Amino acid sequence: MWNIIMPNKNEIRLQKYMAECAVASRRKSEELISAGKVKVNGHIAALGDKINPKKDIVTVRGKRINKETKMRYIILNKPRGYVTSVSDEFGRKTVMDLVKDIKERVYPVGRLDRDSEGLLLLTNDGSFANTIAHPGHNFSKVYRVTIHSSVDDSILYSLRNGVKIDGKTTLPCEVSIITADKERTVLEFIIKEGRNRQIRKMCSACGLDVARLKRTAVGALKLGMLPVGKYRELTDNELKKLLRSASPSEKSENSKELF
């Protein structure tokens, strides 16, 4: 007679639980598990492990984690000079220094490089972070880019129709001139990819020197008049509009992560 083992409905995948506890995104949680930084009931965890949140004790780097009860959805106007990470091995300033008074343990959704500024999302909701960062959802991102020169029509054509960076051609995007003179041009980029330092690399491939790069919108969410270095909670209406502004029908094969 066969012994049928029924699945335990109380068990969930370890990386999903870690994301819900605001440790990191699921992808980053998998990296922590693979690196041996996670233990379940005192034993080093492995990818694929499932846990019962009501019974099992999970620790990350020796610290016990618990699921947060209050979900936080933060919009931050990131200044230049801050690293987008929870910690930095070189002792540089991180965006977490700007949200120290938040009780819950939030983490950045995607990235803005150290020299870039503008709209950055932080949350302790792993499902929300996965939705925003998933490349198949193609949230549009708007950047205002200041260039140390004029920009002619041939360069605009190349930027709009695709530039080869890191061995792959970027997808078509929208690029328009906001202001222009002989020594300075301000461009607006609207892209749906999220490759590493994509706009800087696109500009560099076209011989353009970026003086300033600022993200002003993600999907339906706009930075607005939020002061540099300050943050606020998203309203329920903003959150709903943001999630509805995805365009999954336009999946990008080049995108690895959204921001």
Side-chain angles (χ1 to χ4, degrees):
M1 184 175 181
W2 295 100
N3 290 323
I4 300 176
I5 301 176
M6 298 298 292
N8 189 334
K9 294 182 179 180
N10 293 322
E11 290 186 344
I12 63 173
R13 289 192 176 278
L14 178 56
Q15 61 267 35
K16 181 176 186 294
Y17 178 68
M18 291 171 64
E20 291 176 350
C21 290
V23 173
S25 66
R26 291 193 194 184
R27 182 173 62 83
K28 291 294 184 182
S29 294
E30 290 173 352
E31 293 177 5
L32 289 170
I33 295 169
S34 297
K37 305 294 185 181
V38 184
K39 291 184 178 180
V40 178
N41 301 325
H43 301 285
I44 295 177
L47 281 177
D49 284 355
K50 292 185 177 182
I51 61 107
N52 184 331
K54 296 182 179 180
K55 297 180 180 180
D56 295 320
I57 296 173
V58 179
T59 59
V60 179
R61 297 191 179 96
K63 184 177 180 180
R64 184 172 181 176
I65 62 172
N66 293 288
K67 187 173 180 179
E68 303 282 4
T69 55
K70 181 180 179 181
M71 294 293 100
R72 303 294 296 268
Y73 307 95
I74 304 296
I75 177 174
L76 169 72
N77 188 349
K78 175 193 172 299
R80 284 180 283 184
Y82 284 77
V83 180
T84 305
S85 62
V86 174
S87 60
D88 184 72
E89 60 181 341
F90 301 109
R92 296 173 295 183
K93 295 180 294 185
T94 79
V95 293
M96 305 310 296
D97 295 325
L98 302 170
V99 294
K100 286 183 177 180
D101 55 338
I102 295 179
K103 180 181 177 181
E104 291 78 15
R105 182 171 51 186
V106 297
Y107 58 89
V109 181
R111 289 184 178 275
L112 274 176
D113 66 58
R114 187 183 183 190
D115 296 325
S116 297
E117 58 190 294
L119 194 161
L120 182 69
L121 291 166
L122 299 99
T123 189
N124 60 345
D125 183 342
S127 295
F128 170 76
N130 283 330
T131 296
I132 298 299
H134 194 287
H137 293 158
N138 289 287
F139 288 90
S140 62
K141 299 171 291 296
V142 182
Y143 296 85
R144 183 158 291 201
V145 184
T146 303
I147 304 297
H148 277 313
S149 65
S150 60
V151 179
D152 61 34
D153 289 341
S154 64
I155 292 177
L156 287 175
Y157 179 86
S158 296
L159 292 171
R160 290 166 178 162
N161 290 279
V163 177
K164 182 168 285 189
I165 59 173
D166 301 327
K168 292 184 179 180
T169 301
T170 59
L171 294 179
C173 64
E174 297 179 40
V175 185
S176 56
I177 295 178
I178 305 300
T179 61
D181 56 43
K182 292 182 179 180
E183 298 182 354
R184 180 178 178 272
T185 305
V186 179
L187 302 174
E188 182 180 80
F189 282 70
I190 303 178
I191 66 174
K192 291 188 177 181
E193 291 182 277
R195 295 164 63 177
N196 181 42
R197 297 174 64 87
Q198 178 173 335
I199 291 178
R200 292 183 183 276
K201 290 179 179 179
M202 289 173 67
C203 290
S204 178
C206 293
L208 301 179
D209 181 22
V210 174
R212 186 178 183 185
L213 191 154
K214 181 177 183 179
R215 183 160 61 204
T216 60
V218 172
L221 181 64
K222 296 181 179 180
L223 183 62
M225 301 303 292
L226 185 64
V228 176
K230 301 298 182 180
Y231 72 87
R232 65 173 177 82
E233 296 273 356
L234 295 185
T235 66
D236 290 342
N237 189 45
E238 285 177 322
L239 191 57
K240 290 177 182 177
K241 285 184 176 180
L242 171 60
L243 293 173
R244 289 171 182 167
S245 62
S247 53
S249 62
E250 301 177 13
K251 184 173 181 180
S252 162
E253 294 181 358
N254 290 336
S255 294
K256 292 185 178 180
E257 58 184 57
L258 179 65
F259 294 90

